[in-house]
Amino acid sequence: MRTVARGFAIALAVALAACGGAGSTGTTSSNSYQGKTIQLGAILSITGAGGVYGPSSQKGMDLAVEKINGSGGVNGAKISLDTKDDASDKAQSAQVAQTLIQQGQLLALLGPTLSNSAVAVHPLAESFKIPILAVSTTGIHIVPDCNFPKTDPCKYVFRDSLGEESAIPTNIKVYSDAKHPKTGVLMVANDDKFSSDGGKIVQNTVGSYGIQLLDTVQFSKTTADFATPVTKAVQKKPDVIFITSLGGIPAKIMIEARKQGFTGQFLGGNGFNTAVVSKQAGDAGKGAESGSAWYINNTFASNAGFVQAYRAKYSADPDQFAAQGYAAILVLADAAKRANLTFSDTAGDRTKLRDAMESVNIDTPLGRFQFTSNHDVKQTIWVIQMDGNGGFTLVKSVTPS
Amino acid sequence: MDFFIQLFTDPVGFYNQHELLIAQIGINAILAISIFVTFYSGQLTLANAGFMAIGAYTTVIMSLYLPTPLPVDMLVGALLAAAIGFLVGLPVLRLRGVFLAIATIGFVEALRLGVILNVPITGEGQGLKNPSADPLGGILPILISVPILTYLVWRLTHTRLGQAWAAIREDELAASSNGINVPAYKMVAFVISALVAGYAGALETHINFFVDPTEYSVTRTIQILTFAVVGGTTNVIGPIVGAVFLTALPEIVRQFAAYRDVVNGIILILVITLTSSDRLAVCTPSMTCPWKSRKAPSSA
């Protein structure tokens, strides 16, 4: 009787182990993952100028790690995420990246938050041959030419954040097709890479849609009072004011412009796409449009589940940066699942992970997610507008060709 | 605490993991030497970030457009900073104390907002990528430069030139009465300071991949000033110690996470209030300094 019971127990254990393996992996490599840890590092701007965005990214990533580990991990391996604050400082960002890369067994990095920091961190990651996934950097020369002006593509740098080169032109096209504006004024913070990149993109795009750029008003991102630059823009009586700037500046400009009687349209980029900016702009921002990587009210399962879990954990609505952070962990987990990691050869595992990242094709809160051959995000662009109450409504979705 | 434990128990591992931090400490030490030279000669000048920008941009632009080797680019960057330092010094060094400080801050902002952000060759707000950057390879020249510059400036303070600077610092009128050519000696200090700052800027581009105008703002100027305020200015080691301490501090307190800035600030306040009073020795009896007027009533 005892022998029969022991045999039954062994058979049950084997069956359960087999079910567990097949259920969580779908591959034959699960045994090497069991009990192991996939170590990831994130460099985010929790404080400083990027502090509007970094904490959201961190919350999204933490939620994804919790969800994956809570449902059995990646083929049985747990994800460990070590997040470091770079204080929105390029030098600190590079220092933190170097420390993270060289201190342990990290398989991949995420971040940094700001494009200004990415120009220092991404080439470093490339030189160390460690995959790095940008989660909020939207400027020019992030992928594939992280070593610009050198033209050879960076093999280890990926981006899951929608670049301004995609978001801004799509937004302008959607608005032009609907409203046919004739004139515009560009307001751009000229002492910041993200903003300057956005300004160049606007200047290069408007002509294609028959919009005459009446003026480009430049200002410093440290400007406290926007009355003067806004006056310069408003007195041109444009149909559209384009704003490319970070943090709370777009909201300040919108409030000042409405105060000065501007009744036209505001168009912008990723700088608009957080609830913080929408709340700050309030009624003045109502109708302001931007191209976004994500829309909160999308009802497809991968987004609805994310929004629900985020609300349950943080008692607040997520924003685009949280969604991109969450998606980044899903992307890395999917790649790790298929990469046949050894957990003994870190350099080899990093290359395997990089190779697997190129073929990611999963559902995320951003929609169906793939990388282009240039390692940039290939996803639907959600053109959204501020609702005047701190939220956004969907104008149109544009699927990549 | 982990920072110190690793530093003392695994110095090789510490070095490997913190090369860029050590390199940044070296750059800031060179900037501290730069501001020491002008402070030692009794001048409250705050143009270092501007001269740094000239050195940095010149090096990167030459790397982008000329086939010259990197050391030549860096040398030209430093020399150009010194030359512009001379031109700026002609009108500016007529001023003293806080007026001189304000004028030199004005130079930094004029350079950043007026030139860098408006001349296409600088990349304007988008900045410039340095094609010859080598962050980990760039640490060696920095580590070599710091002791050499420290020694040279320390030696300089013990020559006739250094004694003249000290005399001007203690009492400009008395120094002039004793036959010291005050404007000339001040100009020499200002140009040397510009040369060293330009060299620091050129070196920094080698570890940072990128130059952009946000790095050379008043914030950077204040940071350099803080090295001298914390470390003291009676000898060249003081500002260097200030630079090492302040650059490493954010890493030392990293374990405090969200409270890092608060702890950072508290430590800074404690250091400034509790350590010796030789800092800001640059504010001499002959100068108009805001903090001096606060002390005056107690001595009256």
Side-chain angles (χ1 to χ4, degrees):
Chain A
M1 188 64 191
R2 188 179 289 176
T3 307
V4 173
R6 190 183 293 162
F8 181 75
I10 292 170
L12 186 64
V14 169
L16 282 174
C19 288
S24 64
T25 69
T27 73
T28 56
S29 61
S30 60
N31 288 343
S32 65
Y33 284 60
Q34 202 68 43
K36 299 292 194 321
T37 302
I38 296 169
Q39 296 186 29
L40 306 175
I43 306 145
L44 299 175
S45 298
I46 307 300
T47 58
V52 179
Y53 313 110
S56 285
S57 301
Q58 186 181 20
K59 285 178 180 172
M61 289 178 194
D62 288 346
L63 180 65
V65 169
E66 190 180 292
K67 175 181 173 285
I68 292 168
N69 286 344
S71 56
V74 178
N75 296 348
K78 298 287 183 191
I79 295 178
S80 161
L81 178 65
D82 185 2
T83 302
K84 303 278 190 199
D85 176 23
D86 68 7
S88 309
D89 175 66
K90 184 172 68 179
Q92 277 197 51
S93 206
Q95 289 160 19
V96 165
Q98 194 227 339
T99 305
L100 280 171
I101 293 168
Q102 294 197 289
Q103 78 184 2
Q105 302 293 312
L106 289 187
L107 276 186
L109 288 172
L110 299 115
T113 298
L114 299 178
S115 298
N116 288 23
S117 302
V119 294
V121 172
H122 288 176
L124 197 65
E126 178 73 13
S127 69
F128 278 107
K129 292 185 166 47
I130 179 169
I132 187 163
L133 176 51
V135 295
S136 58
T137 42
T138 58
I140 303 171
H141 305 310
I142 302 295
V143 287
D145 50 348
C146 78
N147 277 319
F148 177 84
K150 292 176 186 166
T151 51
D152 47 322
C154 293
K155 294 178 179 171
Y156 287 81
V157 183
F158 294 78
R159 172 161 78 173
D160 86 342
S161 42
L162 184 65
E164 296 288 32
E165 282 170 303
S166 302
I168 290 176
T170 300
N171 185 36
I172 293 173
K173 180 182 187 318
V174 167
Y175 184 76
S176 297
D177 288 350
K179 306 287 182 182
H180 312 292
K182 298 286 180 225
T183 57
V185 169
L186 168 64
M187 297 195 69
V188 53
N190 67 345
D191 54 353
D192 168 74
K193 176 172 166 51
F194 165 84
S195 309
S196 298
D197 283 357
K200 291 282 180 203
I201 295 165
V202 170
Q203 287 171 333
N204 294 338
T205 304
V206 288
S208 309
Y209 300 102
I211 303 171
Q212 183 193 358
L213 205 58
L214 301 174
D215 198 3
T216 296
V217 180
Q218 299 187 338
F219 54 86
S220 167
K221 65 179 179 181
T222 57
T223 301
D225 181 4
F226 283 90
T228 305
V230 167
T231 302
K232 275 184 78 177
V234 170
Q235 69 187 8
K236 299 280 182 183
K237 298 184 177 166
D239 295 334
V240 177
I241 291 181
F242 301 96
I243 306 170
T244 64
S245 189
L246 275 170
I249 292 173
K252 289 179 185 173
I253 289 174
M254 289 175 204
I255 292 166
E256 181 62 36
R258 294 292 184 225
K259 200 192 296 177
Q260 294 188 21
F262 177 69
T263 55
Q265 178 69 29
F266 297 115
L267 295 181
N270 278 288
F272 283 17
N273 296 342
T274 171
V276 176
V277 174
S278 181
K279 276 178 196 155
Q280 287 173 346
D283 200 41
K286 192 172 182 178
E289 287 186 18
S290 52
S292 175
W294 175 78
Y295 175 55
I296 190 168
N297 292 325
N298 277 326
T299 52
F300 52 83
S302 52
N303 186 58
F306 159 69
V307 173
Q308 187 183 14
Y310 191 97
R311 283 173 174 156
K313 183 173 172 63
Y314 299 113
S315 302
D317 281 345
D319 62 11
Q320 173 189 295
F321 298 91
Q324 287 169 330
Y326 185 91
I329 297 293
L330 297 189
V331 165
L332 288 173
D334 176 73
K337 189 185 288 182
R338 295 178 290 103
N340 284 329
L341 302 174
T342 64
F343 294 95
S344 56
D345 171 18
T346 305
D349 282 350
R350 287 171 176 173
T351 302
K352 285 180 174 181
L353 184 70
R354 185 207 78 88
D355 293 345
M357 285 172 74
E358 289 187 330
S359 54
V360 162
N361 187 0
I362 57 170
D363 287 316
T364 72
L366 309 176
R368 193 72 188 168
F369 187 98
Q370 291 174 279
F371 288 112
T372 66
S373 58
N374 286 333
H375 293 184
D376 208 349
V377 58
K378 184 179 180 183
Q379 62 152 104
T380 301
I381 299 171
W382 313 94
V383 176
I384 56 175
Q385 63 175 211
M386 296 183 189
D387 64 6
N389 297 310
F392 297 91
T393 55
L394 184 65
V395 177
K396 188 174 182 181
S397 62
V398 180
T399 308
S401 52
Chain B
M1 194 54 74
D2 294 347
F3 185 88
F4 288 113
I5 290 172
Q6 192 190 18
L7 175 61
F8 291 113
T9 59
D10 180 19
V12 175
F14 179 89
Y15 177 82
N16 287 334
Q17 289 175 25
H18 295 91
E19 275 177 283
L20 287 181
L21 174 66
I22 293 165
Q24 195 62 51
I25 287 173
I27 295 291
N28 286 345
I30 296 171
L31 289 168
I33 294 169
S34 161
I35 202 166
F36 167 78
V37 174
T38 45
F39 273 25
Y40 192 78
S41 63
Q43 302 175 81
L44 190 59
T45 62
L46 301 173
N48 309 67
F51 295 128
M52 198 186 172
I54 292 167
Y57 273 96
T58 304
T59 303
V60 175
I61 290 168
M62 286 184 70
S63 294
L64 283 168
Y65 297 108
L66 298 175
T68 46
L70 182 68
V72 172
D73 300 345
M74 290 166 60
L75 183 67
V76 172
L79 290 174
L80 186 62
I84 292 175
F86 176 75
L87 295 175
V88 171
L90 287 173
V92 162
L93 295 184
R94 291 163 170 269
L95 303 170
R96 289 193 227 167
V98 289
F99 302 105
L100 176 58
I102 291 167
T104 47
I105 287 175
F107 161 71
V108 173
E109 283 302 86
L111 181 71
R112 192 173 70 90
L113 300 174
V115 180
I116 296 174
L117 288 175
N118 288 293
V119 179
I121 198 170
T122 64
E124 300 173 352
Q126 292 182 293
L128 289 176
K129 261 290 183 60
N130 182 4
S132 56
D134 178 12
L136 302 184
I139 190 170
L140 190 60
I142 296 169
L143 294 181
I144 293 171
S145 299
V146 173
I148 290 175
L149 285 171
T150 306
Y151 176 75
L152 287 177
V153 170
W154 177 77
R155 285 293 302 157
L156 212 54
T157 58
H158 289 79
T159 60
R160 283 175 62 87
L161 177 65
Q163 288 167 351
W165 283 344
I168 294 168
R169 185 187 72 225
E170 292 305 319
D171 194 326
E172 196 172 314
L173 194 60
S176 182
S177 307
N178 281 285
I180 294 173
N181 187 343
V182 173
Y185 280 106
K186 282 170 119 179
M187 179 62 87
V188 170
F190 192 68
V191 170
I192 290 175
S193 175
L195 179 77
V196 175
Y199 180 62
L203 277 175
E204 193 179 52
T205 65
H206 203 44
I207 63 166
N208 268 358
F209 287 107
F210 195 74
V211 285
D212 73 280
T214 55
E215 292 172 52
Y216 309 109
S217 64
V218 174
T219 308
R220 190 68 181 258
T221 296
I222 300 301
Q223 184 196 31
I224 299 168
L225 172 66
T226 318
F227 299 153
V229 172
V230 169
T233 54
T234 48
N235 68 65
V236 68
I237 300 299
I240 293 174
V241 169
V244 172
F245 173 70
L246 288 170
T247 313
L249 190 57
E251 285 306 309
I252 294 169
V253 299
R254 181 169 288 284
Q255 61 192 310
F256 292 99
Y259 302 101
R260 190 161 69 123
D261 286 346
V262 176
V263 175
N264 204 348
I266 291 171
I267 291 174
L268 204 53
I269 291 167
L270 289 175
V271 168
I272 290 173
T273 53
L274 298 180
T275 55
S276 71
S277 58
D278 73 334
R279 70 180 59 83
L280 291 180
V282 68
C283 185
T284 60
S286 62
M287 295 171 66
T288 311
C289 304
W291 49 86
K292 191 179 73 176
S293 60
R294 288 202 301 273
K295 288 183 178 176
S298 61
S299 60

